Amino acid sequence: PTALKRTIYSLSLAFIAILWLVFSGLKEASLFFYFPIEVNTEIKAGEIEPQERIRIGGFVSPGSIETSEEGILFTLKDDENGLVEVWYTGILPDMFAEGQGAVVEGVFDNDIDWVFFADAIFVKHGEEYSKEHLDKSEMREKFGSGIPSGTIE
């Protein structure tokens, strides 16, 4: 009876550990982001702290893109008139344009009027794909284990 109890206990612990690994991995892989209107509300409520790493999704506001040698400044907007100013210094995705859907990842700095400093931009891709696009095996070869975690469809 004690050997059976130990086996059941060990299997139960193993099962719980596997469940924990699965659910913690799913949480990391999920692409959660705020809309600009939510960001404005959360800042006012004190829910988003300066230097807290978040993602914001919206559309690049027409006429808002300003480029300089140091980087690019643009505004993300949503359907509810939420606006967030974004500063980015990396290489822009090919499909980045005014009116285009995008998700930015980074932090706010309240010392500079709550400008969002993005270190990654993910652009929504169209539904149509041509032969020039990489297939899944080419994606795995290029990116390793598959599609990059920030890619949205």
Side-chain angles (χ1 to χ4, degrees), residues 87-115:
W87 175 254
Y88 180 69
T89 57
I91 298 172
L92 289 172
D94 290 339
M95 296 182 70
F96 181 84
E98 294 179 351
Q100 181 68 40
V103 173
V104 294
E105 185 174 354
V107 297
F108 276 105
D109 186 346
N110 67 345
D111 293 336
I112 309 178
D113 297 325
W114 285 100
V115 171

Side-chain angles (χ1 to χ4, degrees), residues 42-43 45-54 107-110 114:
E42 297 287 325
I43 287 172
E47 298 293 323
I48 296 176
E49 299 291 327
Q51 303 303 321
E52 179 181 345
R53 188 162 188 76
I54 62 170
V107 297
F108 276 105
D109 186 346
N110 67 345
W114 285 100

Side-chain angles (χ1 to χ4, degrees), residues 14-125:
F15 181 72
I16 290 170
I18 289 170
L19 282 177
W20 179 80
L21 287 172
V22 167
F23 286 114
S24 64
L26 287 176
K27 183 179 177 187
E28 282 290 314
S30 67
L31 180 65
F32 173 78
F33 61 85
Y34 293 97
F35 288 106
I37 193 74
E38 294 172 321
V39 170
N40 297 336
T41 305
E42 297 287 325
I43 287 172
K44 288 176 185 168
E47 298 293 323
I48 296 176
E49 299 291 327
Q51 303 303 321
E52 179 181 345
R53 188 162 188 76
I54 62 170
R55 291 178 176 163
I56 304 171
F59 294 94
V60 179
S61 185
S64 72
I65 299 175
E66 298 176 28
T67 57
S68 71
E69 288 183 18
E70 292 84 30
I72 182 170
L73 183 69
F74 62 95
T75 303
L76 273 185
K77 69 174 190 160
D78 58 28
D79 294 334
E80 299 179 39
N81 295 322
L83 299 172
V84 173
E85 254 192 317
V86 179
W87 175 254
Y88 180 69
T89 57
I91 298 172
L92 289 172
D94 290 339
M95 296 182 70
F96 181 84
E98 294 179 351
Q100 181 68 40
V103 173
V104 294
E105 185 174 354
V107 297
F108 276 105
D109 186 346
N110 67 345
D111 293 336
I112 309 178
D113 297 325
W114 285 100
V115 171
F116 188 76
F117 289 86
D119 53 31
I121 297 178
F122 309 105
V123 177
K124 182 167 174 46
H125 296 260

